[in-house]
Amino acid sequence: MTTYLIRNAQILGGAPQDIHLVDGVFAAIGEQLDVQADIEVDATGLVALPGLVDLHTHLREPGREDAETVLTGTRAAAMGGYTAVHAMANTFPVADSAGVVEQVWRLGQESGYCDVQPVGAVTVGLEGKQLAELGAMHDSAAGVRVFSDDGKCVDDAVIMRRALEYVKAFDGVVAQHAQEPRLTAGAQMNEGLVSGELGLGGWPAVAEESIIARDVLLAAHVGSRVHICHLSTAGSVEIVRWAKAKGWDVTAEVTPHHLLLTDELVRSYDPVYKVNPPLRTAADVEALREALADGTIDAVATDHAPHPAEDKDCEWAVAAMGMVGLETALSVVQQTMVEAGLLNWEGVADRMSHRPARIGRLAGHGRPISVGEPANLVLFDPAYRGVVNPDTFATRSRNSPYKGMDLPGRVHATFLRGEATVLAGELVER
Ligand SMILES: [Zn+2]
């Protein structure tokens, strides 16, 4: 195995230190280490963070390899500083059986760029009618612990209750895409001032908040764990804050796009801004940032949702919902949280690595940068300034809402168990 000596890295933004990577672990950390290595990396000015963990990635394989594959998605993840991603279940076929989750897990192992932890569907075919084989998926080689019908809401309260009861047996968690379907029929964007002016069907905040309120109560009632995907409203924050104050086992995530963008962008009718849940108001953005800062929201999750051009370069009404996000997440968090004085780098490590790994029960990730720990690491250059150009992305799709925007920071290197997946800002071919 290649050994690395990283010089002058600012671990969690602290004073410069050297880091020695040997046999997949941090072998030594200190000032001016006197050790040998195959490759030396000058990390002067770079921040070292534990490898990032995404709780919410759409890798599209099997079934939509025209949008993304496990290989292209994990290459994008590595470029974004990720060492582990959770692959959502809404593939074709749906990841609702041991066979499909094992296939995705194996593809991840073969990619070598990033660990892929498959998410299992809660219900057969994401149809919300009948519980999927949760136990079999957990017992499979993929060892599934996170279950979600993401893209769809588990809207039947009895099914949701049974799922929460079932996963409790093996410390699993149900990750809910909170969207009351009857309140969002025909929805095209956030329901509010802008949707009224544009005459587009509204997706009201209450459709998200009512499901979250129900599910935190259900989780408390059965004594199980629930995780709320992509929180997008100020009201959702209040409910999660209340549930946590009660001591209930509730966690939540926010996407980078909901931390930065608002429904005002929809005035352009550019479908790149069409996403589910929709972009909300500036007041919602403010509440989400504060909640991420104070820990009410546990994690940043990308909801990386690649789509081929033909599904996005069309009329707003028929365009697919979703945005790519793996390669820009850390930059958006730098801009919205670090530069706004809401989080320091230690906080970023907590919200983008430690806590998401803990929620997913990923033992080998989200660990501290200390001697003996698995060498999952990202070196990030916060001083970099550049314009986002999706044509340079590793993801197969180009539907980035940040195209042409100035975003700070860039991943310089990513290490997965001591092996470089990205070096000097470029993918390492494997
Ligand atoms: Zn979703």
Side-chain angles (χ1 to χ4, degrees):
M1 241 183 118
T2 313
T3 56
Y4 292 89
L5 178 58
I6 297 162
R7 292 284 192 198
N8 298 316
Q10 295 170 250
I11 299 173
L12 307 184
Q17 297 215 294
D18 297 347
I19 311 173
H20 194 208
L21 275 51
V22 181
D23 288 338
V25 299
F26 298 118
I29 296 170
E31 283 175 34
Q32 290 162 4
L33 290 178
D34 183 20
V35 293
Q36 295 298 310
D38 302 322
I39 297 178
E40 239 184 75
V41 178
D42 179 10
T44 305
L46 306 183
V47 173
L49 302 172
L52 307 183
V53 176
D54 195 11
L55 280 167
H56 195 142
T57 314
H58 296 277
L59 292 178
R60 302 297 190 215
E61 190 176 2
R64 286 307 303 267
E65 290 82 355
D66 57 329
E68 194 80 287
T69 65
V70 172
L71 182 61
T72 60
T74 52
R75 283 163 68 93
M79 285 297 284
Y82 288 87
T83 53
V85 298
H86 289 74
M88 277 299 174
N90 61 339
T91 48
F92 304 93
V94 171
D96 60 2
S97 67
V100 179
V101 294
E102 283 187 352
Q103 180 193 356
V104 173
W105 178 77
R106 203 160 287 121
L107 288 167
Q109 297 276 304
E110 287 165 9
S111 90
Y113 282 96
C114 177
D115 284 351
V116 173
Q117 180 58 52
V119 173
V122 175
T123 66
V124 174
L126 307 177
E127 283 172 359
K129 303 263 191 298
Q130 186 190 342
L131 273 194
E133 302 164 3
L134 309 186
M137 288 189 272
H138 172 261
D139 294 339
S140 75
V144 176
R145 290 168 296 272
V146 181
F147 295 88
S148 182
D149 275 1
D150 184 62
K152 289 186 177 174
C153 181
V154 181
D155 63 316
D156 184 311
V158 176
I159 298 271
M160 187 63 182
R161 176 190 177 155
R162 284 208 203 104
L164 287 166
E165 284 171 337
Y166 202 107
V167 301
K168 199 179 154 183
F170 46 80
D171 195 26
V173 64
V174 178
Q176 176 70 293
H177 169 117
Q179 175 181 7
E180 166 53 57
R182 301 259 295 149
L183 289 171
T184 54
Q188 291 285 333
M189 66 170 296
N190 177 51
E191 180 180 299
L193 214 67
V194 182
S195 70
E197 285 180 36
L198 299 181
L200 288 173
W203 197 133
V206 67
E208 175 171 309
E209 294 155 6
S210 58
I211 293 291
I212 297 175
R214 183 200 74 178
D215 286 354
V216 299
L217 291 165
L218 278 175
H221 182 64
V222 304
S224 189
R225 274 206 298 147
V226 70
H227 176 74
I228 311 299
C229 296
H230 40 54
L231 234 72
S232 71
T233 78
S236 297
V237 166
E238 287 310 306
I239 296 162
V240 170
R241 191 172 277 139
W242 171 75
K244 286 192 168 192
K246 290 273 194 186
W248 299 343
D249 213 343
V250 175
T251 55
E253 67 186 36
V254 63
T255 70
H257 47 271
H258 287 111
L259 288 173
L260 180 61
L261 310 175
T262 71
D263 63 352
E264 289 290 332
L265 290 162
V266 180
R267 293 183 189 280
S268 70
Y269 288 106
D270 185 339
V272 80
Y273 302 118
K274 189 174 177 183
V275 65
N276 189 17
L279 300 176
R280 303 288 189 184
T281 68
D284 293 308
V285 167
E286 194 54 41
L288 293 166
R289 289 183 185 184
E290 281 168 16
L292 183 64
D294 73 20
T296 301
I297 296 176
D298 298 82
V300 175
T302 65
D303 196 3
H304 175 80
H307 290 290
E310 62 267 29
D311 293 344
K312 277 296 201 182
D313 295 345
C314 50
E315 256 181 81
W316 178 275
V318 296
M321 290 183 281
M323 309 169 161
V324 296
L326 284 168
E327 291 163 87
T328 43
L330 196 45
S331 291
V332 173
V333 169
Q334 180 182 341
Q335 176 166 319
T336 59
M337 301 299 295
V338 179
E339 294 186 353
L342 291 166
L343 273 187
N344 57 19
W345 290 110
E346 202 179 336
V348 173
D350 183 65
R351 308 300 196 274
M352 296 185 79
S353 179
H354 300 315
R355 284 216 226 180
R358 202 155 67 224
I359 291 165
R361 302 292 192 252
L362 280 186
H365 291 274
R367 306 287 308 162
I369 302 172
S370 336
V371 172
E373 293 286 354
N376 297 318
L377 187 73
V378 51
L379 300 175
F380 187 69
D381 179 5
Y384 177 85
R385 291 292 182 277
V387 175
V388 177
N389 177 7
D391 292 335
T392 66
F393 284 173
T395 170
R396 183 160 280 179
S397 294
R398 299 286 169 262
N399 51 306
S400 169
Y402 313 112
K403 180 182 178 177
M405 275 178 67
D406 283 305
L407 282 183
R410 181 168 66 159
V411 169
H412 181 82
T414 308
F415 296 89
L416 173 63
R417 283 182 291 278
E419 289 280 12
T421 54
V422 173
L423 267 185
E426 305 276 346
L427 280 165
V428 177
E429 292 305 328
R430 301 168 80 84

